[in-house]
Amino acid sequence: MNSRNISPEAQNRIEEMLAKLKSSDFRITPQRYAVLRILAASEEHPSVAEIYESVRAEFPTTSLATVYKTVSLLKDIGEVLELGFHDGNNRYDGNRPFPHPHVICMQCRKIMDPELAGLDDLSAEMNRKTGYKILSHRLDFYGLCPDCQKLA
Amino acid sequence: MNSRNISPEAQNRIEEMLAKLKSSDFRITPQRYAVLRILAASEEHPSVAEIYESVRAEFPTTSLATVYKTVSLLKDIGEVLELGFHDGNNRYDGNRPFPHPHVICMQCRKIMDPELAGLDDLSAEMNRKTGYKILSHRLDFYGLCPDCQKLA
DNA sequence: GTTTTTTTGATAATGGTTATTAAAAAACAA
DNA sequence: TTGTTTTTTAATAACCATTATCAAAAAAAC
Ligand SMILES: [Mn+2]
Ligand SMILES: [Mn+2]
Ligand SMILES: [Zn+2]
Ligand SMILES: [Zn+2]
């Protein structure tokens, strides 16, 4: 058995990431391939610790440092979006490696990608009104997910 | 000489914070008053280290831990907004202790409060589309401030 | 084959923040 | 006032996700 329920979109992201690694003259090692596959397949914005756990399930000798370095590398070549949190436990999105809004549950820390229109205009408005040259942005909504609302 | 260029708005914020401390049954110590005044007066979203330095200028025996605890206390009673960054160096806004957008210079780390319309609607849209009960949000724009653009 | 470069794995170091705790200050009681 | 209780401070140790270091392993180049 090779792949367990890899969606066509995830498969596509895997190809893109592999291509970008290759074109950037980085080697595709088993460890990198494992990390990359998890990032491409997961919709859950996993943390490094979670990626580490998954990788070790099929590649038990992998080091935590290697996971950190691989995630950082993928971030540097623009194939992974990092969601940094000051209370540690950063989260990563390998599906949409560009700025987009997130909804974060304050209780269970679940993170989703909401569909949201009319946001791209804001950067232009920023440029005009502040004189800053806007290069990126981050928009997080905090609240309670449906599951945690039920429990409350 | 008592106050050096305290604007009426800052003075107002000071009164509000003092009142909130009192009504929450916390004591108004010289250390807390010093931290509070800096947060109310500064438009620069200072870090704890910067607040610490300012406080020590007029109150040299103050401990760093006290500054941390005071800032945290003011945050807990809703009188200060915390802007956490995962690379340490969190920043604080004592003027507008409610969610509002920020523009951050990626070079000099200057942070401003831009005027920005049409954002409050987004929370409602989030509620509808995601099922999350939205309680807060954070919107940061990253770019280069006018000064750093000149130098580039 | 040998040499050179890249990558890994193990572990030490980093640094902003938090926890701890004894001393000081303030509030309270008699 | 004097003693008692509660809160706050100051100093410092602990925390912990991340980063740095570096020798060993793997891959590429020769
Ligand atoms: Mn996402
Ligand atoms: Mn602000
Ligand atoms: Zn939840
Ligand atoms: Zn700047």
Side-chain angles (χ1 to χ4, degrees):
Chain A
M1 195 113 22
N2 187 4
S3 61
R4 31 176 181 174
N5 289 30
I6 301 284
S7 71
E9 306 88 55
Q11 193 59 47
N12 200 50
R13 278 300 296 141
I14 292 178
E15 312 293 352
E16 286 177 10
M17 290 166 121
L18 289 175
K20 188 61 162 292
L21 271 180
K22 228 178 238 174
S23 72
S24 307
D25 281 324
F26 291 109
R27 295 175 189 170
I28 294 160
T29 64
Q31 294 90 337
R32 281 178 181 164
Y33 187 57
V35 169
L36 177 157
R37 233 165 39 216
I38 291 160
L39 280 167
S42 169
E43 297 281 340
E44 271 80 45
H45 303 84
S47 65
V48 166
E50 288 163 347
I51 297 169
Y52 178 56
E53 230 181 322
S54 297
V55 170
R56 290 198 69 134
E58 57 172 321
F59 216 96
T61 63
T62 308
S63 156
L64 179 59
T66 298
V67 177
Y68 269 107
K69 276 181 281 198
T70 301
V71 169
S72 183
L73 173 62
L74 291 172
K75 177 184 58 166
D76 289 345
I77 64 177
E79 292 297 318
V80 156
L81 179 73
E82 180 179 56
L83 298 178
F85 295 95
H86 73 290
D87 46 28
N89 206 34
N90 292 355
R91 307 280 287 267
Y92 297 89
D93 189 333
N95 301 303
R96 299 173 185 76
F98 45 82
H100 60 277
H102 288 93
V103 216
I104 302 165
C105 179
M106 299 165 76
Q107 198 139 94
C108 68
R109 285 283 150 184
K110 180 160 50 191
I111 300 182
M112 285 179 45
D113 288 345
E115 309 296 329
L116 191 57
L119 180 60
D120 300 329
D121 318 309
L122 288 183
S123 291
E125 188 179 347
M126 281 291 107
N127 269 316
R128 263 189 294 110
K129 292 193 174 173
T130 65
Y132 276 58
K133 178 195 278 287
I134 304 300
L135 302 173
S136 177
H137 65 83
R138 170 139 177 218
L139 174 54
D140 293 343
F141 290 92
Y142 289 89
L144 293 174
C145 75
D147 288 349
C148 289
Q149 284 178 61
K150 272 182 234 158
L151 297 176
Chain B
M1 199 119 12
N2 187 5
S3 61
R4 28 175 185 175
N5 288 28
I6 302 285
S7 71
E9 306 88 53
Q11 192 58 47
N12 201 49
R13 279 297 298 140
I14 293 177
E15 312 293 351
E16 286 177 9
M17 291 166 121
L18 289 175
K20 189 61 161 291
L21 271 180
K22 230 178 237 175
S23 72
S24 308
D25 280 323
F26 290 110
R27 295 177 188 168
I28 294 160
T29 63
Q31 294 91 336
R32 283 179 178 161
Y33 187 57
V35 168
L36 177 158
R37 232 166 38 215
I38 289 159
L39 280 167
S42 169
E43 298 281 338
E44 271 80 45
H45 303 83
S47 65
V48 165
E50 288 163 346
I51 297 170
Y52 178 54
E53 228 180 326
S54 297
V55 170
R56 289 198 68 132
E58 56 172 323
F59 216 97
T61 63
T62 308
S63 157
L64 179 59
T66 298
V67 178
Y68 269 107
K69 277 182 283 198
T70 301
V71 169
S72 184
L73 173 62
L74 291 171
K75 176 183 58 165
D76 290 345
I77 64 176
E79 292 298 317
V80 156
L81 179 74
E82 180 180 56
L83 298 178
F85 296 94
H86 73 292
D87 46 28
N89 207 35
N90 293 353
R91 307 280 287 268
Y92 297 87
D93 188 333
N95 300 305
R96 299 172 186 74
F98 46 81
H100 60 277
H102 289 94
V103 216
I104 302 165
C105 180
M106 299 164 76
Q107 198 139 96
C108 68
R109 286 284 150 183
K110 181 160 47 190
I111 300 182
M112 282 179 45
D113 289 345
E115 307 296 328
L116 192 55
L119 179 60
D120 299 329
D121 318 310
L122 289 183
S123 292
E125 189 179 348
M126 283 290 108
N127 269 317
R128 264 189 293 110
K129 292 193 175 172
T130 66
Y132 276 58
K133 177 195 278 288
I134 304 300
L135 301 172
S136 177
H137 71 263
R138 169 137 177 219
L139 173 55
D140 291 344
F141 290 93
Y142 289 89
L144 293 175
C145 74
D147 289 348
C148 289
Q149 285 178 60
K150 271 181 237 159
L151 297 178

